[in-house]
Amino acid sequence: MPSLALGPATPATTPPGTGTSGAAAAVTPAAAATRRPSEGSVHSWDLSTGVDGPGIRFVTFLSGCPLTCLYCHNPDTWKMRDGRRTSADSVIAEAGKYVRFISAAGGGATVSGGEPLLQPVFTGELLHRMKHELGLHTALDTSGFLGVRATDALLRDTDLVLLDIKSWNPDTYKRVTGRPLRPTLDFARRLADLGQEVHVRFVLVPGLTDDPADIEGIAAFAGGLGNVSRVDILPFHKLGEAKWQALAMPFTLHDTPSPTPERIAEAREVFRAHGLNAV
C-alpha cells in the first residue's frame, strides 16, 4: 500500500503546562486520569492509505503487544520498552501539519500498534485530541484482546474500530497469537451493543486460517453483529520476514505461500453470503 514515512517518533520535549491551553488539557482523558501531561511509548508514525481506515490516514504506531502473531509484519513493535517515550502534544503537533491534506482526501487519524489498548490512557488522549482538536475522523486498530481496557469514553472518541479476528477456531487462534480467542469476541459483542462501526480484518493464511469452517465461523459471527460495515480479507505475505531475521527470531511461516487469487475470492464470497461488504 502507498505510504509516506514520516520517520520515528521524537522524544517528549514539551514541559508540563505548555502545548494546549490549560482549559483544553483539563478535559482530556489523560488529564482526568493522570493529572499530568500524557506520554506513551511510540514506535513511529506514517501517512498511509488502504489498510488503516478510509482515505489517507495519519497513523500512530504504539509499542507493546500481548500477542505474538506468527505472521506479524511488525515484530519490532512487540516490546513497549523498544518504543520512545513521546508526549501526546508531540504527536498532535505532527498530525496537525497534515490536517488540511488529510481532510481534503477524506481521511483521518488511526491509532495502531503493536496493540494500542496496552496503553489505554495515552490512546484515549490521542483519539480525543485527534477528533476534537484536529477535527479528524478517528480509528482504533486493535486485536480486541485487551478490549476491557477501552473505556466508553475512549470509544465515544472513536469513529471506527478496525478489529482483527485471526481465527474462529480457539485452538488455531491460540496457535497464531499465543492468546485465547474469547476476549476478542466479547469485545466485538460489546461494540455491537454500543452501535460502534467496525471493520473486521481477517488474514488468510494457507494451511493455517483457510479452513472453510474457520472462515464460515467468522463470517457468521460478523454477519450477526449488525455493526460490521466492511470486511477486509488480507492475503498472507512475507514482507515482514526480514524484521524477524533482524531480531534473530525464527519465522515459522517461511515456507508458507500466499493464497491464490481464487482462494481469496472464495473467502470473500463466504462473507458476502452473510450480507457483509467483503473486499
Side-chain angles (χ1 to χ4, degrees):
M1 299 298 176
S3 176
L4 173 63
L6 303 180
T10 54
T13 57
T14 307
T18 63
T20 58
S21 69
V27 298
T28 63
T34 66
R35 306 297 178 187
R36 62 180 183 271
S38 181
E39 294 183 354
S41 180
V42 177
H43 175 270
S44 59
W45 45 61
D46 281 342
L47 283 182
S48 72
T49 61
V51 297
D52 300 299
I56 295 175
R57 318 286 298 182
F58 181 90
V59 186
T60 309
F61 296 94
L62 304 190
S63 292
C65 185
L67 274 57
T68 53
C69 296
L70 296 178
Y71 49 70
C72 180
H73 57 275
N74 287 317
D76 49 332
T77 67
W78 284 1
K79 297 177 181 177
M80 194 182 299
R81 66 174 180 267
D82 291 339
R84 300 184 69 176
R85 294 298 297 176
T86 307
S87 71
D89 282 344
S90 296
V91 178
I92 297 302
E94 188 67 27
K97 299 175 184 178
Y98 306 96
V99 166
R100 299 180 79 179
F101 172 62
I102 291 170
S103 298
T110 300
V111 183
S112 185
E115 172 51 66
L117 292 179
L118 196 62
Q119 303 180 65
V121 173
F122 186 61
T123 294
E125 178 82 349
L126 294 180
L127 291 167
H128 182 89
R129 295 179 63 180
M130 294 286 189
K131 183 178 182 69
H132 297 285
E133 290 185 26
L134 301 184
L136 293 175
H137 176 277
T138 56
L140 172 69
D141 179 2
T142 178
S143 70
F145 178 70
L146 297 178
V148 293
R149 297 191 179 188
T151 65
D152 287 349
L154 181 153
L155 294 174
R156 282 194 296 272
D157 287 329
T158 303
D159 295 310
L160 173 68
V161 175
L162 307 174
L163 182 64
D164 294 329
I165 302 182
K166 320 281 186 178
S167 174
W168 182 249
N169 183 304
D171 292 333
T172 302
Y173 191 94
K174 184 105 181 249
R175 180 185 170 196
V176 170
T177 70
R179 297 290 187 172
L181 169 62
R182 180 174 294 276
T184 292
L185 302 185
D186 289 345
F187 185 54
R189 295 185 183 101
R190 178 184 166 203
L191 295 174
D193 289 342
L194 293 172
Q196 182 90 46
E197 184 183 4
V198 168
H199 287 183
V200 165
R201 296 187 302 177
F202 170 65
V203 181
L204 186 65
V205 186
L208 186 61
T209 66
D210 64 342
D211 183 274
D214 200 349
I215 299 171
E216 171 65 25
I218 297 176
F221 176 73
L225 291 174
N227 63 326
V228 177
S229 59
R230 172 174 167 143
V231 177
D232 288 292
I233 310 296
L234 305 176
F236 165 74
H237 62 72
K238 292 181 279 191
L239 297 180
E241 185 174 4
K243 291 186 179 181
W244 288 72
Q245 294 173 346
L247 294 168
M249 295 165 54
F251 187 69
T252 59
L253 299 181
H254 172 76
D255 295 324
T256 300
S258 295
T260 64
E262 292 78 15
R263 192 69 189 94
I264 297 169
E266 289 171 2
R268 288 197 186 107
E269 288 307 313
V270 174
F271 284 91
R272 288 171 180 169
H274 287 275
L276 294 163
N277 173 29
V279 297

